Amino acid sequence: MKSRFLRLAISSLVAGMAGLSALQAQAADLNVCAGENEMPFSNAKKEGFENTLAELVGKSLNRKVNFVYWKDARYTVRDHLDQNKCDLIMGVDSSDPRVLKTEPYYRSSYIFITREDRGIDISSWNDDLLKERNFRIGVLPDSPGKVMLLQINRFDDMFDYFAEKQRYQSTRNKYVKVDPEEVMNDVASSYIHAAMLWAPEVARYIKKSPVPLKVEVVKDDAKKANGQKVPMHYSVAMGVRKDDVALQQALNKVITEKRSDIEAILRAEGIPLLPVSSQ
């Protein structure tokens, strides 16, 4: 009998400690991985729209937000999230296999950018104008735009431009970052006819451009020669460690309850929003 009461006492103690741990976890700070100099998404001055979104999430969870800054996005999951240095990554692709993802909190697209005064009308990679050799279009390395330039045999035509944007550095076994704002400015200066960029990375700068720019959402109808789809529209989610189901569920609740607030921040940024569907 004595041992039975002892077991009950131990069980009660363990249950109490578990409850205390849950309360402590709920009240703990929320450590958010963010780019130290990755505008317009985030920076150390908290000027990015993802900084603002993270603060909204933290307030909704009643948790203080601490930003843990990275300098190279390629190693964020391995060196920060998986090492418990942060709990949350904003702005992950909804198909990213490295993390446990929330429901998408927005969906957007690649956009064609041209000068309004040039009267250029393009909205799809099937448009004939893009196939003309003298039509100069800027895209970023390792983007759907590069894939499509290769498909329509235009990559070699633009090779000198890409080399220039990469400062003539070799990309062999090395990532060379190209600033999307610089590519957008090349459109504004008429150095190139058009650019295709991910809307969230340049929406802020398009709004501020002294030269009126035309923006067209790229139709999601691009395909390789073999018929394989090349997506132009993407859903964006939040990522947590694969075993952190509790945080994932809490974030999903925030996304549902604060949908209008999230969209207001994104629209203020100038990001074109597409209908979001659940995973």
Side-chain angles (χ1 to χ4, degrees):
M1 182 66 70
K2 183 177 180 180
S3 62
R4 177 169 174 264
F5 283 122
L6 181 59
R7 289 197 301 272
L8 287 172
I10 293 173
S11 297
S12 298
L13 178 61
V14 171
M17 292 176 65
L20 179 61
S21 296
L23 289 172
Q24 289 174 336
Q26 186 176 7
D29 291 356
L30 182 66
N31 297 318
V32 179
C33 272
E36 183 178 70
N37 184 25
E38 197 73 8
M39 290 297 284
F41 301 101
S42 65
N43 69 2
K45 296 180 180 179
K46 303 181 184 179
E47 296 171 324
F49 72 86
E50 284 185 354
N51 292 118
T52 304
L53 288 169
E55 294 285 5
L56 171 64
V57 169
K59 184 177 180 180
S60 300
L61 295 174
N62 196 28
R63 295 173 66 175
K64 178 186 174 184
V65 171
N66 298 318
F67 289 103
V68 180
Y69 292 106
W70 48 259
K71 294 184 178 180
D72 192 327
R74 294 173 297 171
Y75 308 118
T76 306
V77 173
R78 186 194 71 183
D79 294 347
H80 292 81
L81 186 68
D82 289 347
Q83 298 298 321
N84 294 310
K85 295 178 181 177
C86 65
D87 311 303
L88 167 65
I89 300 177
M90 304 294 294
V92 302
D93 191 311
S94 61
S95 63
D96 193 327
R98 302 171 300 166
V99 298
L100 181 64
K101 298 168 290 294
T102 65
E103 292 292 323
Y105 60 99
Y106 77 98
R107 183 173 176 82
S108 192
S109 69
Y110 276 83
I111 51 175
F112 285 124
I113 306 166
T114 57
R115 281 178 61 122
E116 281 190 0
D117 59 9
R118 299 190 78 163
I120 296 170
D121 185 20
I122 49 174
S123 60
S124 166
W125 279 98
N126 294 316
D127 291 343
D128 290 337
L129 186 58
L130 293 172
K131 300 179 178 66
E132 294 185 7
R133 294 179 64 86
N134 63 347
F135 187 83
R136 290 167 54 78
I137 179 168
V139 301
L140 294 188
D142 302 319
S143 71
K146 178 180 177 181
V147 173
M148 290 311 299
L149 283 178
L150 288 166
Q151 294 301 304
I152 63 174
N153 297 316
R154 289 295 321 283
F155 181 78
D156 288 346
D157 300 337
M158 293 301 300
F159 182 81
D160 288 347
Y161 177 77
F162 300 140
E164 175 190 332
K165 294 297 105 176
Q166 293 168 182
R167 306 296 186 264
Y168 304 100
Q169 300 179 68
S170 171
T171 57
R172 182 176 176 83
N173 299 321
K174 181 175 66 175
Y175 171 67
V176 179
K177 182 178 178 180
V178 176
D179 185 353
E181 185 182 7
E182 184 178 338
V183 179
M184 184 210 77
N185 286 336
D186 286 341
V187 175
S189 67
S190 296
Y191 188 51
I192 55 177
H193 293 88
M196 192 195 86
L197 300 166
W198 173 234
E201 67 190 353
V202 287
R204 175 177 302 196
Y205 308 124
I206 291 171
K207 289 174 62 177
K208 294 179 178 179
S209 173
V211 177
L213 298 173
K214 177 182 176 182
V215 173
E216 188 72 38
V217 170
V218 181
K219 293 179 181 177
D220 200 24
D221 59 359
K223 293 182 180 180
K224 294 182 179 180
N226 63 4
Q228 181 182 355
K229 182 179 177 63
V230 180
M232 295 291 155
H233 300 171
Y234 290 86
S235 293
V236 180
M238 303 176 199
V240 301
R241 281 181 292 280
K242 288 189 174 182
D243 61 353
D244 202 348
V245 177
L247 181 55
Q248 179 209 35
Q249 292 176 346
L251 291 170
N252 279 336
K253 184 177 180 182
V254 171
I255 290 169
T256 299
E257 294 179 350
K258 299 295 182 179
R259 176 74 66 185
S260 60
D261 294 327
I262 291 171
E263 291 185 354
I265 292 170
L266 297 169
R267 291 188 190 283
E269 184 73 13
I271 298 171
L273 299 179
L274 303 175
V276 175
S277 58
S278 297
Q279 292 177 330

